[in-house]
Amino acid sequence: MHMSDALVSPTVFAVAGAASLALLGTAIRKMQSANSAPHNAREHNERIVPLMGVMGAFVFAAQMINFAIPGTGSSGHIIGGILLAAVLGPWAAFLTLSSVLLLQCLLFADGGFMALGCNILNMAALSCLAAYPFVFRPIMRRNASPGRIFAASLLASVVGLALGAVAVTLETEASGITALPFGRFLLFMLPIHLAIGIGEGAATGAVLCAVQRGKPELLADVRRRHSHSGLHLGKSLGLIALVALLIGGSFSWLASSQPDGLEWSIERTSDASAASPATDAVHRAAATLQKQTAVIPDYDTSLAGLIGCGIILLAAWGGSQLHRAGRRQT
């Protein structure tokens, strides 16, 4: 669902970018307020930063695996927002997923630079800050059965993808720089992302069931209930990081080469010229900037998954060290 710059006008770029920056600022302030909170809250924050890193690496690696949608000629990949929110909480998950999208845009040219604000809203905000608190969390219960976990994961994933599909269509229509008819575009976007949402929901449910059975302390609600128990996540963090590197270094080669849901919808809504690159100065500047930052465009190396996971893990380690240094000074 990564939008390209060809779908986004300068006005939509500015509005979506401002909204995304406002949400990111709120997420950072919430993390900083935990830093200045009482002792047990600060210790929670010390654990959450490395957990954000390893979960971000896991989702980055998982997003590289496009699974085919039978009978459509299309493919999809997980977004990971519901999984991240279940483990990290909604605001930390939003910040983590936004960081993954930023890395994909700048380093791998996956999603346009002008479309980055839209992509953060469509994938990170609508899954972590809308579908998770309003769909997933109300369905979940303490010690939920596997069936309830799957139901919550499936419904939240489908809702998150559907909201994202509608948002993409509205942003494209508001931009007015393509020949994509709104109704027909939406008619293709919703069903294909419903199918992708079902696939993501099943994968999310399977992971969360395994986590609840084997490492329940990884779940945000469990940590919240046991904030005084001194839960140790060291071995779990190492295991998640290892799985992320394994997926990024090997299983990502199995990704489907078929177009993703957005590309598939564009192809069936109109001809290729409907989303041809714009030629105004803002689009040219964005394309130039992304060309300079994208050292591995389109993941054009077998090591792209390992490199991306490594960057995210390194950033998390650096953030954890800065947090500890700041804590010692207080």
Side-chain angles (χ1 to χ4, degrees):
M1 195 186 287
H2 292 75
M3 294 179 72
S4 70
D5 286 348
L7 300 177
V8 179
S9 69
T11 301
V12 171
F13 157 62
V15 173
S20 297
L21 286 174
L23 288 173
L24 288 168
T26 301
I28 292 171
R29 284 195 299 273
K30 286 183 176 292
M31 295 289 294
Q32 290 174 336
S33 66
N35 244 351
S36 58
H39 176 72
N40 60 339
R42 283 189 288 180
E43 286 205 346
H44 165 76
N45 210 39
E46 187 168 308
R47 290 193 298 269
I48 202 69
V49 172
L51 185 57
M52 288 170 64
V54 296
M55 288 303 300
F58 179 84
V59 166
F60 171 85
Q63 282 193 9
M64 293 186 67
I65 304 177
N66 281 37
F67 52 89
I69 308 299
T72 66
S74 177
S75 66
H77 64 74
I78 75 164
I79 290 177
I82 302 302
L83 175 61
L84 287 174
V87 173
L88 302 171
W91 286 105
F94 171 73
L95 191 57
T96 301
L97 187 49
S98 297
S99 300
V100 170
L101 294 171
L102 177 64
L103 175 69
Q104 290 171 334
C105 173
L106 294 182
L107 187 61
F108 300 102
D110 188 3
F113 178 78
M114 285 181 63
L116 181 58
C118 292
N119 288 330
I120 288 175
L121 292 178
N122 302 343
M123 290 188 274
L126 291 177
S127 59
C128 300
L129 305 181
Y132 173 78
F134 296 110
V135 180
F136 182 91
R137 185 174 273 173
I139 296 174
M140 287 293 289
R141 295 288 186 273
R142 186 174 182 177
N143 299 319
S145 66
R148 185 174 285 273
I149 293 174
F150 265 98
S153 301
L154 185 64
L155 287 173
S157 296
V158 167
V159 169
L161 266 294
L163 290 173
V166 172
V168 168
T169 311
L170 289 172
E171 290 155 358
T172 302
E173 178 70 10
S175 293
I177 60 174
T178 73
L180 298 172
F182 176 81
R184 182 172 171 80
F185 189 27
L186 185 63
L187 188 64
F188 282 107
M189 284 288 287
L190 278 176
I192 196 65
H193 285 94
L194 169 63
I196 296 170
I198 292 172
E200 171 156 9
T204 300
V207 172
L208 291 179
C209 282
V211 169
Q212 187 190 56
R213 183 171 58 249
K215 292 288 183 181
E217 65 270 22
L218 286 174
L219 298 176
D221 288 339
V222 172
R223 291 197 306 277
R224 191 176 298 110
R225 292 195 298 267
H226 299 279
S227 58
H228 299 284
S229 62
L231 294 173
H232 298 289
L233 303 177
K235 291 183 179 179
S236 299
L237 295 178
L239 178 61
I240 298 171
L242 181 61
V243 171
L245 291 171
L246 179 63
I247 295 174
S250 57
F251 295 128
S252 59
W253 297 345
L254 303 177
S256 171
S257 59
Q258 294 175 337
D260 67 15
L262 175 56
E263 294 167 343
W264 180 88
S265 299
I266 291 173
E267 289 175 0
R268 278 151 183 78
T269 302
S270 187
D271 56 35
S273 64
S276 58
T279 57
D280 60 80
V282 178
H283 280 85
R284 290 197 300 271
T288 300
L289 175 63
Q290 191 170 43
K291 186 176 181 180
Q292 292 173 343
T293 62
V295 295
I296 313 176
D298 299 319
Y299 306 98
D300 192 22
T301 171
S302 59
L303 297 177
L306 287 174
I307 293 171
C309 290
I311 291 173
I312 294 172
L313 291 172
L314 184 61
W317 177 83
S320 180
Q321 296 304 307
L322 288 174
H323 171 78
R324 290 179 181 177
R327 186 180 174 189
R328 286 195 295 267
Q329 293 175 2
T330 58

